[in-house]
Amino acid sequence: MKWISSLLLMAILSFAACLFLPWWSIAIACFLVALLIPQKHGIAFLTGFISLFILWAGMSYWISMHNDHILAGRMSQIILKKEDPQMIIIVTGLIGAFVGGFAALTGSLVRMSVKKQPLQSLS
Amino acid sequence: MEGLCHFFYTLQVIKFAMRYLLLFLTAAITIALCYILDTRTVLPAPLGRLLGPQQGFWQNAEPSDADFSADLHFNTLEGNATVYFDERLVPHIFAEKENDAYFVQGFLHAKFRLWQMELQTLSAAGRISEIVGDVALDHDREFRRLGMVYAAEIWEKEMEKDTPIKQACDAYTAGVNAYITTLNSSNLPLEYKLLGYEPELWSNLKTGLFLKYMAYDLAAHENDFEMTNALAFFKKSDFNALFPSLQDSLDPIIPKGTVFSPPAVVPVDPKDADSVYFHQTDTATAVENTKPEKANGSNNWAVSGSKTKSGSPILCNDPHLGLNLPSLWYEIQLSVPGFNAYGASFPGSPGVIIGFNDSCAFGFTNGGRDVRDYYEIIFKNQSKTSYWYDSSWKPTSFRIEKIKIAGKPDFIDTVAYTVFGPVMYDNNFSGKRNTGSKNYAVRWTAHDPSNEMRLFYDLNHAKNYNDYLQAAPYLKTPGQNCVFAAKNGDIAIRTQGNFPAKWKGQGDFIMPGTDNRYAWQGMIPQNEIPFQFNPERGFVSSANQRPVDSTYPYYLGRDYPTPRGMIINRKLSAMQQITPKDMMLLQTDNYNVFAEMAVPVILKNLRMAELADEEKAYAGLLQNWNFRSEADAKGPTVFDLAWKYFSDTVYFDEYANAPEFTERPLESTLLEGIIRDSAFRFVDDIRTNELETLPEMVTRAFKKAVVDITKADKENRLAWGKYKDTRVNHLLRLPAFSRLHVPIGGGKNIINATTEAHGPSWRMIVSLTPETEAYGIYPGGQSGNPGSRFYDNAISKWAAGEYYSLWMMKPSEQKDQRVKWKMQFSKS
């Protein structure tokens, strides 16, 4: 359950942050959520990855559908060098996913470093 | 025990270090990803910023059911204004105060076309390097050195003297800026996101720059360097035969036989012109980097009620310009207490440019006169502070051009100004060629004070022929053939503009800049502008041909196309009981009158016996061709290639040793040459001892052409539409934002003058019946956003020769079902 709430929080926070801040604020959002909600590192990465993939691919799909994929078709020609609206949606999702995943992993690692005592004294 | 302890301690240190290393690594990856995806340092585009759905390009993907309705408040407004958008997104603006209409027009131009407006003015101002870096430096330097900004500044001063125009420009600028201030990283036009820059605020000067950009496009074409080279290279008799000042086939705008009054200005040619000027042997040492498109021409005509079915005049216009997306034009209706006008407007400028109001209609074709001349300047020394003119050293003034370059330090260009104008080429800048030993100043009418905005303002308000007469003289540069028709039945055309009164041959070549007798001695007075008013033949027309025959007392240069004017006049003369539908067929007509004259000569001289079977088959396509350049016809492709190779074959030997930039003769010169005389002097190959004949050359050229024709045939693109392959280019030449392979016929010398990327940019037909009946279309759409369904929605219909009915909306029609959205503007 924890990872589902993380996933949702990451998506909601990322969305809210991008209303005011540049796109890379998704990294801050995922980092903070992973910092506050403890999870295994691997799970944290996956949560950030999946959360942002769903958010970014989902949003772009929604926008593109209402646009009859006109612009996705054109932009895919420029970015992917072939007309493929679906693929540009997936690429959008993946870009968000990797940034989100790595930011969440960083958050998770910071949490562990802060929480665990540094070197124990031996004497 | 201690050893074991030490072992565990070391292990712990390693684990600790690993943990931090991992943390450090992932943190570094995260930051690096954000950086790489936000900048262009590693990837060619900032993919994160560009693809982020809340700010990137996705925000420009306009929903197909987008709602354009809005309720807006601005404190600069004087009253209320309402915009009704119809199903094509054409705004019908109803404003209580005239200036508010210009405010709204500026707002809408910016909302739908901001990026192109700014790009065109940045280009005019020589500021492209700011965006793309020093690849554009030569362009920027050339435009600055041509004095584009200097010209726009002079325009602004002149415009400000005219209060209504100043107010209109101010309101327009305020409207553009009202929109620009609503922009943020999400709703920025797509091209800004792609190129990574942001718009700056609009100003009246930018409107001036836009107008000067049009002046450049339409009135900066000249061939002085190329002609000087031709003069220096060819024998005098050859030169005169290659570049005659009149074509046999000329059917001038003002018909032959018109009587002109004696000239008020009699320019005197310098006594030494024959020995000095017409005898230049030195090939010129500069040439422009960029030239305005020579084919920038147009058709317009008006027929009087005596020739129409309704009994009311019909006015038609189709300006031929580069086919671009976003389109140069933006359709609009402006309805204010003073007037009610509809037509095509220029994003960048207030008012309707080509259109109609409740009383009359107006349109333009390019005059094509030579109003840009070069003078060779002799400086006293390297400092360029003084130059020799009229037997003494005259001081120059300097204009410092600071060119910002993306990613590099500014470039400072110092340009000397003389009595003629800026010294465009000198040892610092010599265009395409780098000899740099000579200095050339440019004299261009676009530098002279003018207030062209007043022309459009007055035409928008015009009620009758007299108003048109009052308006016309405000058009100085670019000179245009202004056609007019009114509901009272009047039709008229004026070959309007500010044209130098030249002695014969003046300005065809580079002139000495040391002698005032070579300077322009005066301008052609307004009352000697050739015009026609309600002519007996029942129509007026123009298609960029020479405006008058040789009886006109002023010299007009030698570079005018004749065929389109010929076919238009032939057709209009024959037409009776004309309807708007007939006019649509005429505007989109694909008959090639040049081919009608040329094909018989080719076929007469083609030695069929010497042709192989395959070659005969292609000659057959030419024989069976009806001279109509339809998209699916194959004859036009065969003709196009056969003529091209014929022309190359005839002139190859003469031009083999000519300087690189030497003027080429008009194609009608060659055609008329061989029609007049089969022993046309250039037909013989001067490199051989034998005398080559016309049949020999035609056959030789045809065999060469067949190689290309066969290739096209094998690739299944022999059909004219496929071979010509018309496209409508995005301004950045991005294929993804362009419309490629547009299926359309027509071409050069044809009324439907659609070539590869050039052609009728706005087709308009206005029948001035009591209830105006108007039609129009342009190859684009009302939105400049490539993510909008209104971006290129008219292209297919345009290519098919179809029209939209233009709706002059009445205030009572607010509930009409054509109204799809409503935008309210009120004072805050």
Side-chain angles (χ1 to χ4, degrees):
Chain A
M1 265 325 278
K2 227 163 44 178
W3 79 271
I4 294 215
S5 40
S6 296
L7 187 132
L8 284 176
L9 259 179
M10 283 179 188
I12 291 166
L13 264 181
S14 295
F15 180 82
C18 282
L19 292 176
F20 311 101
L21 298 169
W23 71 275
W24 45 259
S25 57
I26 58 169
I28 301 173
C30 294
F31 173 84
L32 286 177
V33 173
L35 186 72
L36 297 174
I37 303 179
Q39 287 191 94
K40 285 184 182 155
H41 300 325
I43 302 288
F45 177 84
L46 275 181
T47 312
F49 190 92
I50 294 169
S51 171
L52 261 293
F53 183 83
I54 292 172
L55 180 68
W56 275 31
M59 270 197 286
S60 49
Y61 178 74
W62 178 260
I63 291 171
S64 196
M65 190 182 69
H66 287 281
N67 177 243
D68 297 331
H69 305 292
I70 295 172
L71 191 56
R74 296 191 197 277
M75 289 303 292
S76 61
Q77 285 180 54
I78 292 176
I79 293 173
L80 309 172
K81 308 289 171 216
K82 64 171 194 158
E83 187 162 354
D84 191 341
Q86 274 75 36
M87 190 53 76
I88 198 79
I89 291 168
I90 291 170
V91 168
T92 300
L94 284 177
I95 285 178
F98 275 104
V99 173
F102 276 102
L105 178 58
T106 312
S108 173
L109 286 166
V110 168
R111 177 188 174 82
M112 186 185 68
S113 314
V114 175
K115 211 176 114 189
K116 286 196 179 165
Q117 281 296 310
L119 288 178
Q120 288 153 1
S121 167
L122 280 169
S123 53
Chain B
M1 184 64 189
E2 199 177 316
L4 200 64
C5 231
H6 203 256
F7 172 75
F8 278 116
Y9 183 72
T10 316
L11 206 66
Q12 232 180 356
V13 172
I14 292 172
K15 263 179 83 178
F16 177 81
M18 286 286 286
R19 214 163 60 213
Y20 276 94
L21 192 68
L22 196 64
L23 167 61
F24 176 77
L25 214 72
T26 51
I29 291 175
T30 311
I31 292 168
L33 270 178
C34 288
Y35 177 75
I36 291 168
L37 296 170
D38 196 50
T39 62
R40 285 162 208 271
T41 37
V42 179
L43 295 170
L47 284 186
R49 198 175 343 155
L50 204 54
L51 270 63
Q54 284 164 277
Q55 285 137 346
F57 82 81
W58 292 109
Q59 286 296 318
N60 303 84
E62 190 177 278
S64 45
D65 59 351
D67 183 7
F68 296 95
S69 297
D71 197 357
L72 303 163
H73 303 272
F74 299 100
N75 56 17
T76 39
L77 291 172
E78 295 167 34
N80 293 324
T82 309
V83 183
Y84 303 92
F85 287 100
D86 64 26
E87 66 271 21
R88 290 192 293 121
L89 207 59
V90 175
H92 304 263
I93 303 173
F94 290 82
E96 291 169 359
K97 303 278 188 222
E98 183 169 336
N99 287 333
D100 287 349
Y102 301 129
F103 177 95
V104 173
Q105 187 180 12
F107 187 90
L108 297 177
H109 278 167
K111 181 172 169 62
F112 292 104
R113 302 297 188 81
L114 178 62
W115 176 74
Q116 80 181 76
M117 288 163 66
E118 189 177 52
L119 185 79
Q120 282 160 341
T121 53
L122 286 176
S123 177
R127 291 181 53 196
I128 298 295
S129 303
E130 282 178 39
I131 307 164
V132 301
D134 58 8
V135 289
L137 186 59
D138 274 347
H139 162 89
D140 287 349
R141 290 187 72 190
E142 188 160 88
F143 271 61
R144 304 241 189 165
R145 286 174 158 265
L146 176 58
M148 291 289 282
V149 189
Y150 167 74
E153 286 168 2
I154 292 171
W155 169 85
E156 190 179 21
K157 275 202 200 93
E158 190 68 13
M159 173 278 288
E160 283 178 351
K161 294 178 195 160
D162 188 347
T163 309
I165 303 301
K166 166 86 164 82
Q167 284 172 349
C169 286
D170 285 347
Y172 180 83
T173 293
V176 175
N177 287 336
Y179 180 74
I180 291 178
T181 47
T182 68
L183 289 174
N184 55 43
S185 58
S186 290
N187 61 8
L188 204 59
L190 182 56
E191 288 90 345
Y192 288 108
K193 295 181 184 178
L194 277 177
L195 296 170
Y197 71 109
E198 285 177 9
E200 55 186 29
L201 288 180
W202 194 259
S203 62
N204 290 348
L205 181 70
K206 282 181 184 273
T207 295
L209 284 165
F210 177 79
L211 295 174
K212 294 302 167 186
Y213 193 73
M214 292 312 297
Y216 170 81
D217 215 22
L218 297 169
H221 192 88
E222 45 67 45
N223 307 310
D224 294 4
F225 292 105
E226 294 85 344
M227 285 295 276
T228 305
N229 285 347
L231 181 72
F233 181 75
F234 289 109
K235 284 192 307 213
K236 186 152 192 158
S237 55
D238 282 352
F239 179 87
N240 290 337
L242 286 169
F243 305 104
S245 60
L246 277 179
Q247 306 283 333
D248 299 348
S249 58
L250 172 71
D251 187 359
I253 297 171
I254 309 303
K256 288 177 182 169
T258 303
V259 180
F260 300 105
S261 51
V265 180
V266 183
V268 186
D269 57 329
K271 297 271 176 300
D272 59 1
D274 265 342
S275 59
V276 179
Y277 174 67
F278 289 114
H279 211 82
Q280 304 190 44
T281 50
D282 192 9
T283 52
T285 56
V287 78
E288 296 88 349
N289 274 307
T290 44
K291 266 189 182 292
E293 170 63 49
K294 197 181 170 192
N296 283 339
S298 311
N299 306 320
N300 67 14
W301 59 80
V303 291
S304 73
S306 63
K307 284 180 81 76
T308 66
K309 193 168 180 192
S310 68
S312 298
I314 301 179
L315 179 141
C316 303
N317 190 190
D318 57 299
H320 310 152
L321 295 164
L323 300 176
N324 287 327
L325 286 169
S327 169
L328 178 72
W329 302 105
Y330 180 77
E331 231 174 293
I332 207 160
Q333 179 184 351
L334 296 172
S335 186
V336 295
F339 70 92
N340 177 32
Y342 187 111
S345 69
F346 282 140
S349 156
V352 170
I353 306 297
I354 294 180
F356 54 97
N357 60 24
D358 289 337
S359 320
C360 55
F362 43 89
F364 304 91
T365 66
N366 200 16
R369 312 261 193 114
D370 182 7
V371 292
R372 176 182 174 186
D373 285 340
Y374 284 100
Y375 290 88
E376 189 179 338
I377 298 296
I378 309 291
F379 286 119
K380 189 172 186 183
N381 53 41
Q382 281 292 316
S383 71
K384 302 193 182 83
T385 47
S386 54
Y387 63 103
W388 189 253
Y389 182 66
D390 255 5
S391 316
S392 69
W393 293 105
K394 297 278 190 302
T396 45
S397 59
F398 289 100
R399 192 181 158 99
I400 313 287
E401 300 285 357
K402 188 166 145 188
I403 304 173
K404 290 187 188 147
I405 304 171
K408 295 230 168 112
D410 294 352
F411 184 92
I412 308 291
D413 213 2
T414 307
V415 187
Y417 277 66
T418 64
V419 62
F420 302 106
V423 178
M424 200 168 161
Y425 300 107
D426 57 21
N427 58 341
N428 285 320
F429 186 75
S430 58
K432 263 186 193 161
R433 280 192 290 174
N434 190 25
T435 54
S437 58
K438 291 189 173 183
N439 312 293
Y440 300 107
V442 61
R443 173 76 181 93
W444 186 28
T445 53
H447 295 149
D448 298 342
S450 68
N451 182 16
E452 280 82 15
M453 199 73 83
R454 179 48 99 159
L455 165 81
F456 301 114
Y457 183 91
D458 283 356
L459 284 177
N460 285 196
H461 288 83
K463 299 235 175 333
N464 51 42
Y465 176 68
N466 275 332
D467 293 340
Y468 158 80
L469 274 187
Q470 295 288 317
Y474 285 101
L475 180 62
K476 300 252 164 95
T477 308
Q480 300 284 303
N481 306 308
C482 310
V483 69
F484 174 84
K487 288 210 172 167
N488 73 354
D490 286 342
I491 60 168
I493 195 164
R494 290 181 65 82
T495 60
Q496 196 67 46
N498 194 31
F499 304 122
K502 293 181 172 183
W503 38 267
K504 189 167 189 245
Q506 187 179 15
D508 285 355
F509 318 106
I510 293 160
M511 292 186 276
T514 48
D515 186 339
N516 73 355
R517 294 169 307 162
Y518 285 89
W520 294 350
Q521 296 166 12
M523 294 310 216
I524 298 177
Q526 282 302 317
N527 60 6
E528 293 184 52
I529 294 282
F531 74 100
Q532 266 190 304
F533 174 56
N534 291 336
E536 213 164 291
R537 64 175 181 177
F539 69 91
V540 296
S541 85
S542 73
N544 319 107
Q545 74 268 43
R546 201 177 196 281
V548 285
D549 67 4
S550 57
T551 58
Y552 186 59
Y554 297 98
Y555 179 66
L556 296 178
R558 46 182 113 212
D559 196 13
Y560 301 90
T562 56
R564 266 183 298 115
M566 199 177 149
I567 185 70
I568 289 170
N569 287 347
R570 186 202 289 175
K571 294 222 173 207
L572 285 175
S573 304
M575 287 166 86
Q576 295 297 340
Q577 293 285 305
I578 300 170
T579 63
K581 178 77 194 156
D582 296 331
M583 288 307 195
M584 292 178 196
L585 293 175
L586 183 58
Q587 252 181 359
T588 55
D589 190 87
N590 287 330
Y591 188 78
N592 188 335
V593 71
F594 182 78
E596 173 202 277
M597 296 182 282
V599 170
V601 194
I602 292 179
L603 289 176
K604 193 176 124 202
N605 288 288
L606 189 60
R607 289 174 175 161
M608 287 298 207
E610 289 176 24
L611 298 185
D613 285 350
E614 191 194 40
E615 291 162 344
K616 272 191 194 128
Y618 291 125
L621 285 177
L622 209 50
Q623 273 164 332
N624 296 323
W625 182 36
N626 58 3
F627 310 131
R628 302 195 64 84
S629 294
E630 308 295 352
D632 57 358
K634 293 177 175 172
T637 310
V638 175
F639 170 68
D640 189 73
L641 284 163
W643 181 262
K644 173 180 168 290
Y645 276 99
F646 173 62
S647 173
D648 286 354
T649 309
V650 167
Y651 290 129
F652 180 81
D653 47 327
E654 278 83 12
Y655 277 84
N657 299 315
E660 188 185 351
F661 299 101
T662 300
E663 186 65 7
R664 293 264 166 174
L666 292 174
E667 55 190 2
S668 45
T669 304
L670 173 58
L671 177 58
E672 289 175 12
I674 57 172
I675 288 174
R676 264 197 306 266
D677 178 9
S678 63
F680 185 53
R681 61 200 297 159
F682 302 104
V683 166
D684 175 41
D685 186 340
I686 52 176
R687 296 165 305 171
T688 63
N689 292 326
E690 300 88 62
L691 185 73
E692 281 79 8
T693 62
L694 187 57
E696 219 171 321
M697 295 305 251
V698 167
T699 309
R700 200 185 289 176
F702 191 78
K703 281 170 172 284
K704 284 188 206 159
V706 166
V707 177
D708 282 12
I709 295 167
T710 311
K711 187 164 174 281
D713 203 2
K714 284 207 178 100
E715 292 165 356
N716 192 27
R717 43 180 199 95
L718 196 58
W720 178 235
K722 284 189 181 159
Y723 180 78
K724 175 163 69 97
D725 204 19
T726 294
R727 60 179 190 277
V728 186
N729 274 326
H730 181 258
L731 288 172
L732 294 176
R733 303 281 153 101
L734 291 170
F737 290 178
S738 307
R739 181 72 83 86
L740 308 175
H741 317 302
V742 181
I744 184 168
K748 193 178 178 189
N749 298 324
I750 297 171
I751 300 179
N752 172 19
T754 311
T755 55
E756 197 184 340
H758 198 276
S761 60
W762 162 243
R763 288 184 179 132
M764 183 184 79
I765 293 165
V766 185
S767 174
L768 291 149
T769 35
E771 180 89 346
T772 308
E773 186 185 346
Y775 302 89
I777 194 164
Y778 65 88
Q782 286 289 86
S783 172
N785 175 9
S788 167
R789 71 184 170 101
F790 294 105
Y791 176 65
D792 59 356
N793 52 315
I795 293 181
S796 302
K797 216 171 146 78
W798 169 84
E802 293 168 25
Y803 290 73
Y804 292 112
S805 174
L806 306 182
W807 179 31
M808 183 70 111
M809 184 181 161
K810 296 190 193 89
S812 59
E813 293 176 309
Q814 296 173 23
K815 295 273 187 299
D816 193 287
Q817 56 176 347
R818 283 170 285 189
V819 173
K820 298 293 173 198
W821 303 281
K822 186 174 160 188
M823 207 182 256
Q824 290 274 24
F825 288 75
S826 48
K827 204 169 166 59
S828 58

